[in-house]
Amino acid sequence: MVNVKKKKYYLRYFVILLTFTLIASCKSKINHLYEIQGKQININESFETNAEIDAFVSPYKNHINKDLDSVLAYNPITQDKSKGKWETNIGNLFAETTLLMSNPIFLQRENKTIDICILNHGGIRAVIPKGNVTTRTAYEIMPFENSVVVLELKGKVLVELANYIILDKKPHPLAGINIFLEKDEKSIKRIEINKQPLDQNKTYYVLTSDYLANGGDNMNFLKSSSKNFDLDYKLRNVFIDYFKRVDTIPNLTEPKIIIE
């Protein structure tokens, strides 16, 4: 006599076991990361190039190089930011050029004139060698996308600016301002703005870069501006426009920091 109950019990057990086996086999396999390998590749290491890609890119590359290497002016003496204690010829060129090219824009838009210009020594990224000056030169000395802005500042902030320059001991590009020092080169005797004594209560218009206007190089005093005017004019384009405007680049050596 067959025990039906017993057979049903074994069959049920077999079905449950088979179900669990199938579920376990359907689980996605979990991968574990045991090792990471890296390889250093030198930027001058040669790689095989694709001739078709080179042929496609070449006309554009040649066109860009032609534009960058077009001669705009002539520079009779090397302009170098490392040659000078309180000012350099390239620093003077940076500041005076930026002031010269930006002032007409500000005058037309706001019916006001810019009083002084300050830029940062570290923003000058290359020398201007003696010889032809090209568009590429402008990209080399100013590779950043910085734009010029005008800040509305009280005269007392310009005293902070002068103190910063003396303490920092770097030839930051300046225009429109003269700082007269005692013989110890630590104490400020007086400050002149466009040959006139500084008035701490007067409002002045200071031209600088957007980088410095936001407190770059620890020039946090510039952030106290009551009003900012963005001229939408990149520093690099300032220099390109100036190079196109002149035949020969001047060697500007007039001191902005004067020891008395």
Side-chain angles (χ1 to χ4, degrees), residues 49-66:
T49 58
N50 187 300
E52 290 185 10
I53 294 176
D54 285 346
F56 178 79
V57 171
S58 184
Y60 300 96
K61 179 181 177 182
N62 292 339
H63 179 73
I64 291 172
N65 284 332
K66 184 179 179 181

Side-chain angles (χ1 to χ4, degrees), residues 210-230:
D210 53 355
Y211 169 70
L212 295 183
N214 290 316
D217 275 14
N218 295 317
M219 294 193 193
N220 294 310
F221 47 85
L222 294 179
K223 294 197 294 184
S224 63
S225 170
S226 57
K227 194 172 183 180
N228 291 8
F229 304 87
D230 187 350

Side-chain angles (χ1 to χ4, degrees), residues 98 102 106 114 116-119 146-152 205-214 222 225 227-235:
T98 306
S102 301
F106 189 60
I114 301 168
I116 74 169
C117 175
I118 177 170
L119 299 171
N146 294 123
S147 298
V148 291
V149 296
V150 180
L151 310 179
E152 189 175 87
Y205 294 97
V206 178
L207 181 67
T208 189
S209 67
D210 53 355
Y211 169 70
L212 295 183
N214 290 316
L222 294 179
S225 170
K227 194 172 183 180
N228 291 8
F229 304 87
D230 187 350
L231 300 189
D232 193 26
Y233 198 9
K234 292 191 182 300
L235 272 169

Side-chain angles (χ1 to χ4, degrees), residues 9-199:
Y9 173 79
Y10 284 126
L11 181 60
R12 187 180 300 162
Y13 178 79
F14 174 75
V15 171
I16 293 172
L17 182 63
L18 180 63
T19 302
F20 275 113
T21 303
L22 289 173
I23 291 173
S25 64
C26 290
K27 285 185 177 179
S28 58
K29 186 178 179 181
I30 300 175
N31 295 319
H32 297 280
L33 182 64
Y34 293 102
E35 183 180 3
I36 297 176
Q37 292 184 345
K39 179 183 178 183
Q40 184 175 2
I41 301 175
N42 294 327
I43 59 172
N44 59 351
E45 190 170 333
S46 59
F47 295 94
E48 291 185 7
T49 58
N50 187 300
E52 290 185 10
I53 294 176
D54 285 346
F56 178 79
V57 171
S58 184
Y60 300 96
K61 179 181 177 182
N62 292 339
H63 179 73
I64 291 172
N65 284 332
K66 184 179 179 181
D67 285 344
L68 288 175
D69 293 330
S70 58
V71 176
L72 305 179
Y74 179 76
N75 181 38
I77 185 171
T78 298
Q79 310 255 357
D80 188 344
K81 76 172 186 177
S82 68
K83 303 295 176 64
K85 181 179 180 180
W86 291 112
E87 55 266 318
T88 64
N89 57 357
I90 192 171
N92 287 342
L93 179 71
F94 258 53
E96 295 287 356
T97 296
T98 306
L99 182 58
L100 176 68
M101 302 301 291
S102 301
N103 207 25
I105 300 172
F106 189 60
L107 180 62
Q108 184 178 25
R109 291 183 185 177
E110 305 297 333
N111 198 28
K112 298 179 178 70
T113 57
I114 301 168
D115 296 293
I116 74 169
C117 175
I118 177 170
L119 299 171
N120 61 317
H121 178 257
I124 306 171
R125 306 307 289 185
V127 304
I128 303 179
K130 178 181 178 179
N132 290 333
V133 176
T134 65
T135 303
R136 190 184 298 276
T137 305
Y139 276 85
E140 290 171 345
I141 61 176
M142 180 48 64
F144 311 115
E145 296 299 312
N146 294 123
S147 298
V148 291
V149 296
V150 180
L151 310 179
E152 189 175 87
L153 295 168
K154 287 294 185 181
K156 62 182 180 180
V157 181
L158 301 192
V159 175
E160 293 184 60
L161 184 153
N163 284 320
Y164 169 89
I165 290 170
I166 303 309
L167 289 173
D168 201 42
K169 297 185 183 300
K170 292 179 182 176
H172 294 291
L174 296 171
I177 182 172
N178 288 111
I179 304 169
F180 295 84
L181 301 181
E182 301 282 2
K183 289 183 179 179
D184 63 3
E185 300 188 16
K186 297 179 181 179
S187 305
I188 297 175
K189 289 182 68 175
R190 68 183 188 278
I191 302 169
E192 291 183 354
I193 306 298
N194 295 314
K195 309 299 183 183
Q196 298 298 318
L198 173 70
D199 182 347

